[in-house]
Amino acid sequence: MPRPPGVAAQNLPQPATAATGEEEFTLDVINISLPVTVIDRQGRFIPNLGQSDFEVFENKRRQPIIAFQRRDGLPLNVAILMDTSTSVRYRLAFEREAITEFLSKLLDNRRDQASFVTFDDEPRIRSGFTNDFQQLARVVNSVTTANGRTALYDTIKKVCLEHMPLASTRRRAILLVTDGGDTASSTTLDEAIAIAQRAEVTIYAISTKGGGVFRIEGNPYFNMDDRNLKRLCKETGGDVFFPSDTKQTKRAFDLAKDYLRNQYFLVYEPNENRNTKHFREIEVRIPKHRDARVLTRRGYFPGALATEVK
């Protein structure tokens, strides 16, 4: 897709290198893209905002917005990650049904694409990005067993580094369907978050273990796995849902779809030296809606971006 008017990709002379655990990967810095969801105090999406309504700050310094797109004006690539470890074996059938219904609604136009990944001890990419609902439904319904441990963070790493670069757009998201516990990864939570931020991937999650769609931290059911899942989503610009029954689970899938369909897309080019390994904090403000809840990624490590605006 052509670059929006006035957006010029400017590569640094030397690519930046970002470290992740014991591995390193190198990516060119071009500009910073931000999918942004804006919700009012009643939980409703705030529509019809324009570029002038937004302010973007990096490390507390205001940045010029060089491209803007309203809501779902850009194509979307969503990787659905389904937990198939032993801990979810009794919910597997319902997960298949809910994911299939989600896909049928997500792919009701020809612009958006989805892929399907399962994970237990290791991730398995079952289908690449496609808008063919029937193909994806067949793949989802072919998953009939759940065994092994849960390599959640290893799966995030693999999908972000190896699978998401195949996406056709920079509007990229992961939808996790899991109980949130990681029992097998060599990748840490911090590393998984950093990798997703570098890859410009927003993560949403639907917990499969129950306890209330909008569970609060004071609830005794909100344990460390829940907190980690919440942090994984929040710091990448997404959200997590904790349905307690099948009806609420279907509602959570609908909410996830609505979040994805009600995003604004901002692009800015940092106006200061990025030759540093330090984390750069991002804040998006909407002065006319100061009470609004703004969902976007918390920041990035320089050396993050290797694609132009598509």
Side-chain angles (χ1 to χ4, degrees):
M1 180 178 292
R3 191 182 307 130
V7 179
Q10 298 182 12
N11 292 311
L12 294 176
Q14 295 291 332
T17 300
T20 307
E22 297 180 353
E23 301 181 14
E24 292 186 339
F25 56 98
T26 301
L27 298 165
D28 294 330
V29 175
I30 299 176
N31 47 47
I32 308 301
S33 65
L34 296 174
V36 180
T37 304
V38 186
I39 303 170
D40 67 18
R41 297 179 67 179
Q42 287 72 45
R44 299 170 299 197
F45 298 103
I46 299 178
N48 303 320
L49 297 176
Q51 179 172 326
S52 61
D53 292 309
F54 291 86
E55 296 178 351
V56 177
F57 295 82
E58 182 180 292
N59 282 357
K60 302 187 183 304
R61 294 187 180 184
R62 187 168 177 178
Q63 309 292 317
I65 298 172
I66 61 175
F68 174 83
Q69 188 78 29
R70 282 186 177 88
R71 295 160 69 86
D72 61 347
L74 290 173
L76 172 68
N77 286 77
V78 182
I80 298 174
L81 277 53
M82 178 182 179
D83 188 342
T84 57
S85 63
T86 301
S87 61
V88 301
R89 62 185 181 275
Y90 298 115
R91 295 180 289 273
L92 199 61
F94 178 73
E95 286 183 20
R96 291 197 306 266
E97 177 186 342
I99 289 172
T100 302
E101 184 175 336
F102 170 83
L103 286 168
S104 70
K105 295 176 180 178
L106 180 74
L107 301 177
D108 60 2
N109 64 65
R110 302 298 294 178
R111 294 178 303 165
D112 299 336
Q113 295 186 341
S115 64
F116 182 60
V117 179
T118 60
F119 62 97
D120 40 54
D121 292 288
E122 59 183 12
R124 295 176 179 82
I125 297 175
R126 306 267 185 166
S127 173
F129 288 107
T130 180
N131 54 22
D132 187 334
F133 167 70
Q134 296 298 332
Q135 174 188 326
L136 283 167
R138 285 193 296 270
V139 175
V140 172
N141 287 305
S142 71
V143 179
T144 57
T145 58
N147 294 292
R149 299 181 299 163
T150 311
L152 173 58
Y153 305 144
D154 283 351
T155 302
I156 297 290
K157 177 180 179 179
K158 181 180 180 67
V159 169
C160 287
L161 295 185
E162 300 178 20
H163 186 52
M164 280 300 182
L166 304 177
S168 61
T169 173
R170 274 176 72 173
R171 260 189 92 210
R172 299 183 286 236
I174 283 173
L175 178 62
L176 272 173
V177 184
T178 179
D179 60 10
D182 190 305
T183 60
S185 291
S186 57
T187 306
T188 67
L189 172 62
D190 286 342
E191 289 168 348
I193 291 170
I195 290 168
Q197 289 169 335
R198 291 181 179 119
E200 299 183 309
V201 175
T202 305
I203 300 177
Y204 296 88
I206 297 175
S207 173
T208 59
K209 67 180 178 184
V213 172
F214 298 108
R215 188 184 308 171
I216 60 175
E217 293 193 22
N219 190 305
Y221 293 102
F222 201 104
N223 62 16
M224 185 56 68
D225 290 342
D226 298 333
R227 293 176 187 274
N228 290 343
L229 198 58
K230 181 177 180 180
R231 184 176 162 223
L232 176 67
C233 295
K234 181 178 180 180
E235 295 198 15
T236 60
D239 210 348
V240 60
F241 309 98
F242 295 97
S244 59
D245 54 36
T246 56
K247 182 178 180 180
Q248 286 195 355
T249 299
K250 290 185 176 181
R251 179 177 173 236
F253 273 96
D254 284 340
L255 282 170
K257 174 183 64 67
D258 290 343
Y259 273 52
L260 291 166
R261 286 284 177 82
N262 286 278
Q263 289 179 325
Y264 298 93
F265 192 79
L266 314 179
V267 181
Y268 75 93
E269 189 160 357
N271 55 17
E272 63 181 65
N273 190 339
R274 291 156 292 180
N275 293 324
T276 172
K277 296 179 181 180
H278 299 298
F279 184 78
R280 313 304 295 270
E281 186 173 351
I282 294 172
E283 181 185 3
V284 176
R285 300 177 188 171
I286 308 173
K288 294 180 182 178
H289 297 273
R290 295 188 182 277
D291 292 335
R293 183 183 179 208
V294 179
L295 301 179
T296 194
R297 60 193 175 107
R298 190 174 68 87
Y300 71 100
F301 287 91
L305 311 179
T307 54
E308 298 178 3
V309 177
K310 296 181 179 180

